Amino acid sequence: MLSESVIRSLKGIAGSDNVLTSKEDRLCYAYDATNQIFLPDAVVFPSNVEEISKVLKLANSERFYVTPRGAGTGLSGGSVPEKGGVVLSLERMRRILKIDTKNLIAVVEPGVVNFELQMELGRAGLFFPPEPTSLRYCTIGGNIAECAGGPRSVKYGVTRDYVLGLEVVLPTGEIMETGTQTVKGVTGYDLTRLIVGSEGTLGIVTKSTLRLLPFPKAVNTILAIFNDECAAGNAAAEIIISGVKPSAVEFMDMTSVKCTRESERFDFQVDNGALLLIELDGERESLERRSGAVRDICLREGAVNPRMVTSKNEVKDLWCMRRAISPSLVKIRPDKIVNDVVVTLSVVSEFLQGARKIEKDKGVIMALFGHAGEGNIHVNIMLDKNDAEEAGKAKEAVDSIINLTIGLGGTISGEHGIGMTKRAYAGMELHPVAFEVMRKIKGVLDPNGILNPGKIF
């Protein structure tokens, strides 16, 4: 527990109204989307970089832990205060400081919600490509911490590809600026990319300079329904290999689809199998040709009447269905273990087959969906954590999915991070020397181990 003198110091830094200590208040910041609960000793809401610096300097002198937090939508336990201490919530720092339409950059604070930024950019005909399915709630600071992706990363890349520079408070309280406002810059080590994806273990981002893109001139959406999941996986791979450059290729098994309220608006006429939701954007002149090529590929792989979705409302409903899958899975079981594994395109179908064999052998229920155009499949293993037998089977299934992924040359996390939920497996994938270098970097920047402990390692 924090001492009374530390609580007084925190209130002196952030203001009495911005430090919460009651159990009821602390419980609201004790978990993320993994539903693991660890109660912090206090929650602090800083309003600027100087306050964050002072909190971290106090933490080093008084030896208490600090866990940074955005909106708590993460799926790996990255913002959960496993060892207590202070949760540093960045929700007050939510200003869009600048949108520069001439240089295609934005400067924002970490608490800005992704969707709110997209709405503001949309008025200027621009967008920030990383759009996680939680975009209506997740923050830019969280996106940077996890190097978030989303459906359109198959064409546009992930968060690290759009962060030009950062203002960061290091674990010792020092304030550092990295990167540039230019699209190129190779002066010194790339500290910006070191921070992006470091899950709040190496520093707290207080300001970011983001690269923007103009809205595409036109968008086509194609829905393809398959009686066989592996055929859908093959089609996704063939679409990418063909060179038509889709902006999204989303895979959804029928277990996932049937859970969403939006699915009731469609008659897919398939009890098993899977859907592909494919989006192409760009110049109108090329879209028809590229869309035709996609439809031909889907037909060759056994799709049932793949079609262009021309109604804007239907397109909206389909994307609502896709984004609603994760929270809707509670209809199957109250709990889930999510693995956002990635394999190479050539083995997507082999992975899907292997996952279904694990599902059958372990006697669990799996819902599979994700960004098939990148080989990024979200494997949701459903369970009731209060049922010891189900929990045991689920743990065995997770181990098997991880082993299957690594055996196929894949990676155990494409966009959700390692956090707490996958730290036991990180050493299976990472080269031992690389793993030790990461530990050394953490030790140099955070010599007292106060920032976001228990994550990654």
Side-chain angles (χ1 to χ4, degrees), residues 58-268:
L58 179 66
N60 278 275
S61 65
E62 298 294 332
R63 293 296 195 272
F64 61 84
Y65 299 115
V66 176
T67 301
R69 179 184 175 94
T73 61
L75 288 160
S76 63
S79 65
V80 176
E82 184 186 25
K83 297 189 178 182
V86 167
V87 163
L88 202 68
S89 173
L90 301 169
E91 60 194 85
R92 291 179 67 205
M93 299 178 66
R94 56 186 306 166
R95 293 181 298 164
I96 299 173
L97 300 171
K98 180 171 71 173
I99 294 176
D100 184 341
T101 58
K102 292 184 178 180
N103 293 302
L104 298 180
I105 60 173
V107 181
V108 306
E109 290 184 329
V112 173
V113 173
N114 187 300
F115 182 75
E116 293 176 359
L117 176 61
Q118 302 292 1
M119 291 299 99
E120 193 65 30
L121 294 175
R123 297 184 182 97
L126 304 172
F127 76 113
F128 175 60
E131 292 186 356
T133 51
S134 59
L135 85 161
R136 288 184 176 271
Y137 315 102
C138 65
T139 61
I140 297 299
N143 295 167
I144 290 170
E146 302 299 329
C147 193
R152 294 180 178 87
S153 57
V154 66
K155 177 177 181 178
Y156 291 108
V158 293
T159 299
R160 64 170 170 251
D161 301 308
Y162 295 91
V163 180
L164 297 173
L166 297 170
E167 177 184 78
V168 184
V169 182
L170 297 176
T172 50
E174 298 167 282
I175 300 171
M176 173 178 74
E177 293 185 0
T178 74
T180 68
Q181 291 198 6
T182 58
V183 295
K184 294 174 69 177
V186 293
T187 305
Y189 296 133
D190 193 343
L191 297 179
T192 302
R193 285 208 168 196
L194 176 63
I195 297 297
V196 176
S198 64
E199 303 188 38
T201 63
L202 301 181
I204 298 175
V205 172
T206 54
K207 186 165 59 179
S208 56
T209 301
L210 308 176
R211 184 167 70 94
L212 310 175
L213 293 179
F215 263 140
K217 293 183 178 179
V219 177
N220 278 2
T221 302
I222 296 170
L223 175 65
I225 304 169
F226 296 81
N227 288 307
D228 178 77
E229 288 181 349
C230 292
N234 288 333
E238 287 300 318
I239 289 167
I240 301 302
I241 294 168
S242 72
V244 298
K245 294 185 178 179
S247 51
V249 182
E250 292 295 290
F251 172 93
M252 295 164 270
D253 73 3
M254 294 309 296
T255 300
S256 303
V257 169
K258 290 175 182 177
C259 287
T260 69
R261 178 177 55 82
E262 284 79 4
S263 68
E264 297 170 4
R265 305 177 194 178
F266 303 97
D267 183 12
F268 296 120

Side-chain angles (χ1 to χ4, degrees), residues 419-457:
M420 294 163 54
T421 61
K422 284 172 275 190
R423 64 190 174 193
Y425 304 106
M428 295 172 60
E429 177 183 333
L430 296 170
H431 188 278
V433 175
F435 197 56
E436 187 57 32
V437 168
M438 291 180 190
R439 285 185 179 275
K440 289 178 180 178
I441 292 171
K442 170 68 172 172
V444 168
L445 294 181
D446 188 7
N448 295 315
I450 62 103
L451 189 59
N452 212 7
K455 313 303 160 57
I456 303 177
F457 305 109

Side-chain angles (χ1 to χ4, degrees), residues 219-223 284 288 307-316 318:
V219 177
N220 278 2
T221 302
I222 296 170
L223 175 65
R284 174 58 64 187
E288 298 307 315
R307 64 182 178 88
M308 189 90 69
V309 184
T310 55
S311 164
K312 289 183 179 180
N313 286 335
E314 188 177 0
V315 170
K316 181 181 178 181
L318 284 167

